[in-house]
């Protein structure tokens, strides 16, 4: 997958308002799987995503800095790429794909900045998911 040049610019350009960082089409597909909400599918998926973040983010923090571990960066970004997309966090998923490619190719220039941007987007997605759960009927 080619890297989106916009992802390689400043984070601030990719920062979306919290309300729009989740794709409505992806959320609608999830709602279709549990139309009445009786199985609490969205709640369970959000909980699993949150637990995944709780496990992966400390790994990422430990892999950064002077002892940069590209294999950990690649693993975390790969895992978050698909799980974020499934929840409709498409910009975050694209950022993760770009970071995964950078880590796979050993491209260090700009990697720390991209990781910082990813962490900012994760914070936005968490806020949006919390808001989504609060507004669910």
């Amino acid at each position: 997958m080619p890297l989106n040049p916009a992802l390689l610019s400043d984070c601030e350009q990719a920062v979306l308002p919290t309300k729009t960082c989740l794709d409505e089409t992806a959320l609608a597909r999830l709602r279709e799987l549990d139309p009445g909400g009786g199985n609490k599918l969205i709640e369970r998926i959000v909980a699993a995503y949150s637990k995944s973040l709780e496990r992966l983010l400390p790994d990422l923090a430990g892999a950064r800095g002077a002892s940069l571990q590209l294999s950990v960066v690649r693993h975390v970004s790969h895992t978050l790429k698909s799980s974020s997309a499934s929840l409709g966090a498409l910009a975050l998923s694209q950022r993760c794909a770009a970071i995964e490619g950078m880590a796979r190719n050993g491209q260090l220039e700009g990697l720390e900045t991209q990781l910082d941007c990813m962490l900012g987007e994760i914070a936005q997605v968490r806020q949006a998911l919390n808001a989504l759960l609060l507004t669910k009927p």
Side-chain angles (χ1 to χ4, degrees):
M1 171 192 325
L3 297 182
N4 180 343
L7 292 176
L8 301 177
S9 61
D10 265 344
C11 298
E12 294 174 26
Q13 291 180 359
V15 173
L16 299 171
T18 298
K19 290 181 182 178
T20 61
C21 72
L22 299 177
D23 180 68
E24 281 300 321
T25 303
L27 293 174
R29 281 193 301 264
L30 289 175
R31 287 184 188 106
E32 287 173 5
L33 297 172
D34 185 18
N39 291 318
K40 299 194 179 293
L41 180 67
I42 290 179
E43 291 88 339
R44 291 185 305 155
I45 291 172
V46 169
Y49 184 77
S50 295
K51 284 185 184 197
S52 178
L53 287 174
E54 289 170 15
R55 180 178 49 82
L56 293 170
L57 293 182
D59 291 348
L60 179 63
R64 294 183 71 180
S67 62
L68 184 64
Q69 299 169 31
L70 291 176
S71 62
V72 175
V73 171
R74 189 179 67 233
H75 168 72
V76 169
S77 58
H78 174 79
T79 303
L80 290 178
K81 175 181 65 177
S82 57
S83 60
S84 297
S86 71
L87 280 168
L90 303 182
L92 175 56
S93 178
Q94 287 182 334
R95 171 116 24 223
C96 290
I99 291 169
E100 180 185 16
M102 292 173 79
R104 185 183 328 100
N105 297 326
Q107 182 183 344
L108 301 180
E109 185 178 339
L111 182 60
E112 287 291 339
T113 300
Q114 291 303 309
L115 291 170
D116 289 340
C117 293
M118 181 182 77
L119 293 174
E121 289 177 16
I122 287 170
Q124 285 185 305
V125 167
R126 280 179 155 167
Q127 280 185 311
L129 290 173
N130 287 335
L132 174 71
L133 294 179
L134 290 174
T135 60
K136 266 189 83 18

